[in-house]
Amino acid sequence: PNIGSDGVCRYLKVRLHSCCTLRSAALFITAKLQTMPYTPFMHEFEQLPETLPVFPLSDAVVMPGADLPLNIYEPRYLDMVAAALGSHHMFGMVQPDPTRHEEPEALFGTGCGGRITRYQETADGRIELVLTGLCRFNIREELPGPGDYRLVAPDWEPYRTDYELSRSNDFEHRDRLIQLLDSFFTATRMQTDWKQLLTIPADRLVNTLTTVLPLDPMEKQALLEAVTPQDRIDTLITALEIECHE
């Protein structure tokens, strides 16, 4: 693995059951955990683009610092990836909004932009890639795009703090979160390295768990929209209590 300039690199391994990302089988995902910037190729906050292609996908959320594997096969999204690779290497993940029944194409108002950090073409015409989350955004407006994929004007400013990540793993309700994770991992037969998990800074831990845990789409959206790390931790605890019936 590539170690950042500070020599810190943490990993969390979990099993993700997914029918919409890399494969329909259970996956082991390794999420690299270090401070911004993740590599010299990552954009500074002031360099984030004024327009952004978006990939609408339910159950799929990426958070700053976490890796999301994606399997791209629809022609319009193959075009989207090609356009991103030809410019800033970025696109956004936004979930469809199931509460707006009269608007089947409606999206939630908040998503997260990421950078394509790994990429592979397949013999059957697909693209397998990894999107590394950079910064969340609110959608100012949807714009006419150059192709069939969707394009938005993102407002990055409300989430500027995504570039100010902490090294601390000391946070309120930490013991309760660990207890619930233990119950959730046991119930879902997920695996993790507890020794490594307990050393991960709080903001990086909750961002990674938001990305990889098989939670309800509305729960993932609530986590995505929670601004501060402590807000996200409290929201994750509530979601896990619902999932674990505790």
Side-chain angles (χ1 to χ4, degrees):
N2 294 323
I3 307 299
S5 59
D6 58 0
V8 177
C9 189
R10 305 294 186 193
Y11 291 90
L12 172 68
K13 292 184 179 180
V14 299
R15 179 166 292 185
L16 172 65
H17 296 277
S18 171
C19 60
C20 61
T21 53
L22 189 56
R23 296 182 180 89
S24 58
L27 300 173
F28 278 103
I29 294 178
T30 301
K32 188 182 295 183
L33 299 160
Q34 59 188 54
T35 56
M36 289 273 202
Y38 311 110
T39 75
F41 304 102
M42 296 299 189
H43 298 70
E44 299 292 340
F45 183 82
E46 291 73 17
Q47 297 174 322
L48 292 171
E50 294 182 0
T51 62
L52 188 72
V54 293
F55 187 11
L57 192 60
S58 184
D59 295 321
V61 166
V62 69
M63 291 291 287
D67 288 346
L68 178 69
L70 292 167
N71 173 33
I72 309 294
Y73 54 87
E74 288 188 47
R76 57 179 167 169
Y77 296 121
L78 290 171
D79 291 344
M80 178 193 72
V81 170
L85 290 171
S87 56
H88 43 55
H89 287 222
M90 288 186 64
F91 63 88
M93 296 298 300
V94 185
Q95 291 195 109
D97 186 349
T99 66
R100 295 163 64 180
H101 305 289
E102 71 285 356
E103 303 174 71
E105 299 295 317
L107 302 175
F108 279 112
T110 302
C112 184
R115 190 178 193 278
I116 300 169
T117 51
R118 274 167 277 173
Y119 167 92
Q120 177 178 318
E121 298 172 351
T122 68
D124 59 357
R126 294 177 295 110
I127 292 176
E128 293 178 349
L129 61 83
V130 172
L131 189 73
T132 300
L134 273 182
C135 186
R136 292 169 293 166
F137 61 87
N138 292 331
I139 297 176
R140 291 184 189 273
E141 61 176 326
E142 189 159 352
L143 305 169
D148 291 334
Y149 57 87
R150 299 173 74 170
L151 189 71
V152 303
D155 180 8
W156 306 101
E157 189 61 38
Y159 298 101
R160 177 182 283 269
T161 54
D162 286 348
Y163 273 73
E164 302 169 3
L165 300 177
S166 168
R167 293 179 182 275
S168 174
N169 63 359
D170 184 22
F171 51 90
E172 292 183 24
H173 314 307
R174 182 178 185 276
D175 291 344
R176 178 57 174 160
L177 176 60
I178 298 304
Q179 176 190 23
L180 286 165
L181 285 173
D182 187 26
S183 298
F184 187 81
F185 289 166
T186 299
T188 55
R189 299 182 180 180
M190 299 173 73
Q191 301 175 13
T192 192
D193 182 339
W194 282 103
K195 183 177 179 180
Q196 290 291 332
L197 184 146
L198 294 174
T199 68
I200 297 170
D203 48 3
R204 183 67 71 233
L205 174 62
V206 72
N207 283 359
T208 301
L209 292 172
T210 299
T211 300
V212 301
L213 290 183
L215 299 173
D216 179 84
M218 297 297 287
E219 293 170 339
K220 281 183 174 281
Q221 190 64 31
L223 284 159
L224 178 71
E225 295 179 11
V227 177
T228 71
Q230 188 63 55
D231 288 343
R232 292 197 294 282
I233 289 164
D234 293 340
T235 302
L236 179 58
I237 286 173
T238 300
L240 291 173
E241 286 175 338
I242 294 171
E243 294 287 341
C244 297
H245 308 291
E246 294 191 14

